Amino acid sequence: MLEEKKDQRRLILAKLMLLKYVDTNTHLDIYDIYFNQVMAELNNEADISKKIYVLRNDMKKFQSKFAVERLRLLIELLNKQRQFKESISIMMNQCQITIAASQDQSGQQQALVNTPEMFLYLNSLHFDVPVGCNNYIRGLFIVSLINLDYLNEEVRIVFIFKLVEIF
Amino acid sequence: MLIKIVLNIKPLIAYLYTFDAEEVADEFRLIAETYYKRKNYACARNIFHYLLTNVRDCLVQLDIWLKYGNCCNYLDEVDDAINAYRNAVNLDSSNCEAALHLVNMLKKNSQLFDEAATVIDKTLSQKDTACLNTEILNLKINQCFIQYEKNEYESYVRNARQLLFNNLMFVLEPENVNGTL
């Protein structure tokens, strides 16, 4: 009906609702059709937030089975909107990226997890990205960290290239 | 040996070096562009250099040569910057941005004036002079500057007059001229 009336705004909203409430266990085909439709229709710069909403919803629905290419798109959109902290948290959850134990100012070992507080002392953290993690996601993870002024990587890159020159 | 050392110090990017560079070129480019945008030219230069020396496709990408050249320029690595801009111009001699960058470097050394003049002539000859943009105008201003420095007064007067008569408003803006010269 909305399609006939060419009421595009409400049509998109209706599709977003459908994507949110459809049961993917029983109606995966319907979900996929509307997912692809909505992603193709949301082309404007102003639609980025809606695209992020759709992808976040997709991530919630599929959790560990969230497709890599959709994770990649979600992270790229979040980075475009400069939401680097959220993109880091999402990548850590989805790709099992962990934080290696670090020392606090008094020299005590701290056990750290993926929490908003970790961004307060980001530069004292070292991240372990699993070997099986998609390389492009690894690249996006590094990009998000760089954008949050994570210095550890820089220091090491300089060190690596010194080694490259030596060998 | 290198891979072993790199893995021992474990930066996140190190893992990418364990792959064939062609395979992870997109990832390296993504990281290099991020450093470049954030004006961390030392890191960006290193990664662009790695791409240019290890990934064949990158050798024919003007954008990468230009950014690598800009990084070298910001880091005062003049010879590397000139070579990078030369490669960019060789890839597309009609590209005004590449030509302007190269000319701006070459004109710092009076021994390279001839090369700068050749680059400008070659680029301008491929452009429709009716469709002027800032880069073409800057090239024309540089052309006048070099002709003046080389004592080629006849050409200088002809080109400077043309520039002044046709684009007076642009030339009158001090920042346009000072930025170029």
Side-chain angles (χ1 to χ4, degrees), chain A residues 127 129 131 135-136 138-143 145-147 149 153-154 156-157 159-161 163-164 167, chain B residues 1-2 5 9-13 15-17 19 24 26-27 30-31 34-35 38 40 43 46 50:
Chain A
F127 296 92
V129 183
V131 170
N135 278 339
Y136 200 82
R138 177 185 289 267
L140 287 170
F141 187 70
I142 296 170
V143 164
L145 286 173
I146 294 167
N147 277 301
D149 295 321
E153 198 66 8
E154 265 170 52
R156 289 157 164 191
I157 285 174
F159 183 60
I160 284 180
F161 279 97
L163 286 176
V164 172
F167 290 95
Chain B
M1 176 69 178
L2 176 65
I5 295 170
I9 54 170
K10 275 190 178 170
L12 294 169
I13 201 172
Y15 181 71
L16 297 177
Y17 287 98
F19 288 84
V24 285
D26 288 344
E27 288 78 358
L30 186 72
I31 297 166
T34 307
Y35 276 126
R38 293 184 59 82
N40 185 333
C43 283
N46 287 338
Y50 181 76

Side-chain angles (χ1 to χ4, degrees), chain B residues 154-178:
Chain B
E154 209 172 298
S155 322
Y156 167 73
V157 169
R158 191 178 57 244
N159 285 325
R161 188 183 288 159
Q162 197 186 21
L163 194 59
L164 282 167
F165 285 172
N166 296 336
N167 310 285
L168 185 63
M169 295 312 289
F170 183 85
V171 182
L172 277 182
E173 280 295 323
E175 63 185 56
N176 289 338
V177 182
N178 292 339

Side-chain angles (χ1 to χ4, degrees), chain B:
Chain B
M1 176 69 178
L2 176 65
I3 290 171
K4 227 175 180 182
I5 295 170
V6 164
L7 281 177
N8 279 339
I9 54 170
K10 275 190 178 170
L12 294 169
I13 201 172
Y15 181 71
L16 297 177
Y17 287 98
T18 61
F19 288 84
D20 179 27
E22 305 262 357
E23 227 176 286
V24 285
D26 288 344
E27 288 78 358
F28 274 117
R29 179 132 189 218
L30 186 72
I31 297 166
E33 301 272 358
T34 307
Y35 276 126
Y36 184 81
K37 267 188 210 152
R38 293 184 59 82
K39 299 183 178 173
N40 185 333
Y41 298 115
C43 283
R45 178 209 166 278
N46 287 338
I47 301 174
F48 281 131
H49 184 263
Y50 181 76
L51 284 171
L52 288 166
T53 45
N54 292 284
V55 182
R56 209 175 297 163
D57 286 350
C58 291
L59 287 172
V60 289
Q61 291 190 34
L62 189 141
D63 185 49
I64 294 187
W65 280 113
L66 266 186
K67 283 179 178 160
Y68 173 66
N70 289 342
C71 291
C72 294
N73 189 8
Y74 285 120
L75 296 167
D76 277 333
E77 296 166 357
V78 179
D79 290 341
D80 287 338
I82 289 177
N83 284 331
Y85 293 141
R86 274 186 188 134
N87 285 324
V89 169
N90 287 338
L91 283 174
D92 180 5
S93 57
S94 68
N95 187 296
C96 290
E97 192 189 351
L100 191 60
H101 276 107
L102 178 57
V103 167
N104 279 332
M105 294 301 291
L106 294 173
K107 75 181 182 190
K108 290 177 186 167
N109 182 348
S110 60
Q111 289 176 335
L112 299 173
F113 278 173
D114 285 339
E115 187 184 345
T118 311
V119 170
I120 294 173
D121 290 344
K122 208 171 173 186
T123 307
L124 291 179
S125 69
Q126 295 176 66
K127 289 284 162 192
D128 179 3
T129 44
C131 310
L132 290 174
N133 62 27
T134 314
E135 277 151 0
I136 293 181
L137 286 172
N138 278 327
L139 279 175
K140 284 178 172 261
I141 293 173
N142 275 309
Q143 189 179 37
C144 291
F145 168 79
I146 289 164
Q147 283 164 346
Y148 181 82
E149 292 295 319
K150 286 171 74 183
N151 302 334
E152 294 171 355
Y153 297 121
E154 209 172 298
S155 322
Y156 167 73
V157 169
R158 191 178 57 244
N159 285 325
R161 188 183 288 159
Q162 197 186 21
L163 194 59
L164 282 167
F165 285 172
N166 296 336
N167 310 285
L168 185 63
M169 295 312 289
F170 183 85
V171 182
L172 277 182
E173 280 295 323
E175 63 185 56
N176 289 338
V177 182
N178 292 339
T180 311
L181 305 180

